[in-house]
Amino acid sequence: MLSVETDPGSGFCGGVIRAISRSEDYLGGGGTLYSLGAIVHNEAELARLAGQGLRTVESLDGIPSGGTVLIRAHGEPPATYALARERSLEVIDCTCPVVLRLQGSIREAYSRLHEGGASGTLVIFGRVGHAEVLGLVGQVGGDALVVEDAAMLTRAMDNGEIDFSQPVEVFSQTTKSPSEYEHICSMLRSRCSRVTVHDTVCAQVASRHRQLGEFARCHDVIVFVSGQSSSNGKVLCELCRSVNSRTHHITGGEDIRKDWFRDGDRVGVCGATSTPKWLLEEVAAAIRQL
């Protein structure tokens, strides 16, 4: 018989909860709401919201003039707001407050780095092309170096993309691994004494890393639930796998395989900050029925 526990710390982060709540409030009034990009990186939750009338578009061109657009928690660059005004769109801005503060900090750092004609480097540790990162880079007109990992940073340093005779300021995408960010910062410090490191990994995400590592150690099998496009999901699943080799990544109950489990196993079900609680409970129930 299997013992199944759902991680109490898994589920939507505050920014996602706020965005979904505001979208449901608006849709409850019978209006049409367009989300600029997926409101959450979880296919099951997107399908649920689509059933309530939420429409996902990839650009503002997909929204009729005068329509209402929701800016998701990831945030957007200034150009998006300017275009929305040109198209007479009503904006429901659900940018996560943590991301909003980060955007402001990046603008301030850029001003410092270029004060008096200086030419320092702004480095962002994040996934190239990720919505949050695009919004961050857009704050400074694209004049920032984005690195995804240590190998990418090494290439950038070797290719002279960072002028170490000038100051460097480094930030992280809010959902990245704290330990990986620390390594990136150490690499930069080893090459330059004028590196300013900003602690911009979301506190909720950082605490999830600590808690989830312990959760994974305390179970024989980990079933990690997240959407295929969830950046946070990939990071957290790899964290689980690093401490528990019997970690399996699924998007929903239909992906569960009986041969993953042995009689008497303690099974832990957990997920990303974009994974809804209802889906975690659904997966746990499916495992109990095996």
Side-chain angles (χ1 to χ4, degrees):
M1 184 175 178
L2 300 175
S3 170
V4 184
E5 179 185 9
T6 301
D7 174 29
S10 289
F12 289 152
C13 66
V16 172
I17 290 172
R18 176 171 170 263
I20 290 177
S21 176
R22 291 190 67 182
S23 69
E24 290 180 320
D25 287 346
Y26 185 92
L27 293 168
T32 300
L33 180 61
Y34 297 87
S35 173
L36 184 56
I39 191 172
V40 61
H41 293 307
N42 185 275
E43 294 79 9
E45 181 67 4
L46 286 175
R48 186 186 74 83
L49 291 169
Q52 295 184 27
L54 182 67
R55 301 185 187 180
T56 302
V57 296
E58 295 307 316
S59 77
L60 296 182
D61 293 337
I63 306 175
S65 179
T68 303
V69 58
L70 181 138
I71 303 296
R72 55 191 171 165
H74 296 307
E76 286 287 327
T80 297
Y81 296 90
L83 184 56
R85 286 192 295 271
E86 288 178 18
R87 295 180 56 83
S88 300
L89 301 179
E90 178 185 347
V91 175
I92 297 178
D93 194 347
C94 292
T95 303
C96 172
V98 175
V99 174
L100 206 57
R101 286 194 296 272
L102 173 54
Q103 290 177 347
S105 296
I106 282 179
R107 291 193 299 270
E108 293 169 2
Y110 187 80
S111 295
R112 285 192 299 271
L113 289 168
H114 293 83
E115 189 174 8
S119 56
T121 305
L122 182 67
V123 178
I124 298 175
F125 173 51
R127 198 179 87 194
V128 174
H130 186 277
E132 181 187 322
V133 174
L134 292 175
L136 298 178
V137 173
Q139 304 301 314
V140 294
D143 191 11
L145 174 65
V146 179
V147 294
E148 292 192 342
D149 50 33
M152 194 170 178
L153 177 58
T154 298
R155 289 194 298 271
M157 293 192 296
D158 291 345
N159 293 338
E161 295 178 55
I162 303 175
D163 181 357
F164 287 113
S165 69
Q166 298 290 321
V168 176
E169 298 209 25
V170 56
F171 297 84
S172 173
Q173 177 183 333
T174 60
T175 55
K176 294 297 283 183
S177 162
S179 60
E180 287 183 32
Y181 182 45
E182 184 178 342
H183 181 52
I184 291 292
C185 295
S186 295
M187 291 175 65
L188 287 167
R189 286 191 178 112
S190 71
R191 293 284 293 271
C192 179
S193 61
R194 302 173 67 188
V195 175
T196 301
V197 172
H198 298 271
D199 182 9
T200 56
V201 175
C202 172
Q204 186 175 355
V205 170
S207 65
R208 284 287 296 119
H209 279 251
R210 294 190 293 271
Q211 295 164 358
L212 197 57
E214 185 59 31
F215 184 80
R217 289 186 190 93
C218 292
H219 293 82
D220 300 305
V221 184
I222 290 295
V223 177
F224 189 92
V225 189
S226 75
Q228 295 177 342
S229 58
S230 171
S231 177
N232 174 253
K234 291 181 176 67
V235 170
L236 292 181
C237 184
E238 284 309 309
L239 169 64
C240 289
R241 190 169 283 120
S242 71
V243 298
N244 188 328
S245 61
R246 293 177 68 191
T247 294
H248 304 281
H249 190 183
I250 66 172
T251 59
E254 67 278 3
D255 299 329
I256 298 169
R257 287 173 42 185
K258 193 172 183 177
D259 60 4
W260 290 343
F261 311 103
R262 304 166 188 155
D263 189 38
D265 272 344
R266 294 165 300 164
V267 181
V269 177
C270 51
T273 55
S274 56
T275 306
K277 284 279 192 183
W278 65 261
L279 183 56
L280 293 171
E281 295 298 343
E282 188 176 274
V283 166
I287 295 171
R288 292 187 183 101
Q289 292 173 7
L290 290 176

